[in-house]
Amino acid sequence: MTETSTLNAAELSNLLASTGYLADEGLSTIAYLALAMERPLLLEGEPGTGKTGLAEALAQALSLPLIRLQCYEGIDATQALYDWDFTAQILHLRSVEAGGNHFGNGTTMSTAELESTLYDKRFLLARPILKALQQSPAVLLIDEIDRADDEFEAFLLEVLSTYQVSIPEFGTVRAQTPPIVVLTSNRTRDLHDALKRRCLYHWIEHPGLAREVEIVRTRLPGVPALLAEQVVRAVQAIRATDDVLKPPGVAETLDWARALHQLGSAELDLASAAASIGALCKYREDTERVMATLARILG
């Protein structure tokens, strides 16, 4: 594991680059500050701009486990924290009963003692947040927090303030070292100020032309330089229009470049674009509009 306390922003940027993640100065600086200050990092931006990728790159660069909590509508604290292995508990009860409710030394268990054995650590199923507290140092990715509701945000704020949780049947679990926490949001709704105040914040923009070309060349070294630049120029032109329902992100740029390369294309033309458009567009309406844009660019 790389010692995060000795890193500076430039060194962290280089470490991220070694994984194929090219962060600009603003992002690498705020990521460095989050590590140095032991504060959660909240990343917002359009889908496909590399929010989740930063957490993955941090884990890889720092040789830490990545623990991911995918948020969704209706998620609650139990689903993020822990559960009990009910099946294993039943088997344990049957085993004890078969042995006459005795301890290993032959003494008989009371009802309270029998119940206490059901909540042993071996029956505890750690969900992502508890797992991160137990395994830290680790990178905890809380993905798409904007999909969760207000109650879950309040629970999360409490956990991120103390880096500990209390389990009634088990006790308190506290992280020896605070995990590196990255929260992402596509801003489908506004998050509460209390959670934002707990975090350092950064909005990730789509990269400029030169940086996006560099990303494609770094992540897909086998793609011809001409094709990489043509793909990025086309994607940037598509983003600049107001016609599409979902502007393509860097993830779609990479998928499209990879698809074109897989088809054997050395450069971008309308035929290869049409054949591979499903890697770039996810809506039928966007497919039609993007092909019209590409016809203007490539025609």
Side-chain angles (χ1 to χ4, degrees):
M1 183 189 75
T2 301
E3 181 56 58
T4 59
S5 61
T6 62
L7 289 175
N8 58 38
E11 290 168 339
L12 179 59
S13 181
N14 291 335
L15 276 176
L16 292 173
S18 72
T19 73
Y21 189 94
L22 303 181
D24 61 26
E25 184 178 357
L27 181 56
S28 59
T29 299
I30 200 69
Y32 157 72
L33 290 173
L35 296 181
M37 298 168 63
E38 296 185 341
R39 295 279 294 278
L41 176 58
L42 172 59
L43 299 175
E44 288 192 330
E46 297 295 330
T49 50
K51 301 183 295 296
T52 298
L54 177 65
E56 295 169 344
L58 279 172
Q60 184 179 344
L62 301 174
S63 300
L64 295 174
L66 174 67
I67 301 170
R68 177 174 180 169
L69 173 63
Q70 177 62 54
C71 297
Y72 52 87
E73 186 178 350
I75 189 172
D76 61 27
T78 300
Q79 292 156 322
L81 271 180
Y82 71 94
D83 205 346
W84 291 103
D85 189 338
F86 179 72
T87 302
Q89 287 174 319
I90 292 296
L91 291 174
H92 171 69
L93 272 180
R94 290 176 178 173
S95 175
V96 172
E97 289 170 354
N101 286 15
H102 289 143
F103 287 109
N105 59 12
T107 59
T108 303
M109 292 184 186
S110 67
T111 301
E113 289 170 333
L114 178 58
E115 288 179 353
S116 70
T117 66
L118 292 175
Y119 297 106
D120 188 78
K121 184 177 181 179
R122 59 187 161 147
F123 301 128
L124 185 62
L125 299 176
R127 302 306 186 200
I129 289 179
L130 180 60
K131 191 180 296 184
L133 297 179
Q134 290 175 327
Q135 296 183 10
S136 197
V139 176
L140 173 60
L141 167 62
I142 302 174
D143 220 2
E144 298 183 314
I145 180 62
D146 52 319
R147 291 179 178 268
D149 56 23
D150 295 350
E151 288 77 11
F152 188 77
E153 264 193 64
F155 151 74
L156 199 57
L157 177 62
E158 181 180 356
V159 172
L160 296 181
S161 297
T162 61
Y163 293 110
Q164 68 178 38
V165 295
S166 294
I167 302 172
E169 309 91 340
F170 184 77
T172 299
V173 177
R174 181 182 295 104
Q176 296 294 325
T177 302
I180 298 168
V181 181
V182 178
L183 302 94
T184 74
S185 168
N186 293 326
R187 209 170 186 181
T188 57
R189 70 172 178 86
D190 286 333
L191 302 179
H192 286 275
D193 288 343
L195 182 61
K196 286 187 173 183
R197 283 195 299 270
R198 182 75 189 96
C199 303
L200 300 186
Y201 176 85
H202 190 77
W203 175 272
I204 300 186
E205 298 280 1
H206 288 295
L209 176 65
R211 178 166 292 275
E212 192 162 10
V213 170
E214 186 182 5
I215 291 170
V216 174
R217 299 289 291 132
T218 300
R219 298 289 295 274
L220 304 172
V223 172
L226 175 61
L227 179 60
E229 182 170 347
Q230 288 177 323
V231 164
V232 172
R233 286 188 180 278
V235 170
Q236 298 246 336
I238 293 164
R239 287 189 197 128
T241 71
D242 297 325
D243 295 338
V244 291
L245 297 173
K246 182 184 180 299
V250 176
E252 284 75 30
T253 303
L254 291 167
D255 280 346
W256 195 29
R258 187 182 295 115
L260 288 161
H261 182 54
Q262 191 69 34
L263 292 174
S265 302
E267 58 183 288
L268 184 61
D269 55 51
L270 277 177
S272 61
S276 58
I277 197 67
L280 183 67
C281 300
K282 312 302 177 184
Y283 295 92
R284 181 178 63 84
E285 298 87 345
D286 281 354
T287 299
E288 296 171 354
R289 293 163 182 164
V290 164
M291 286 307 301
T293 300
L294 292 175
R296 291 195 299 271
I297 296 172
L298 302 173

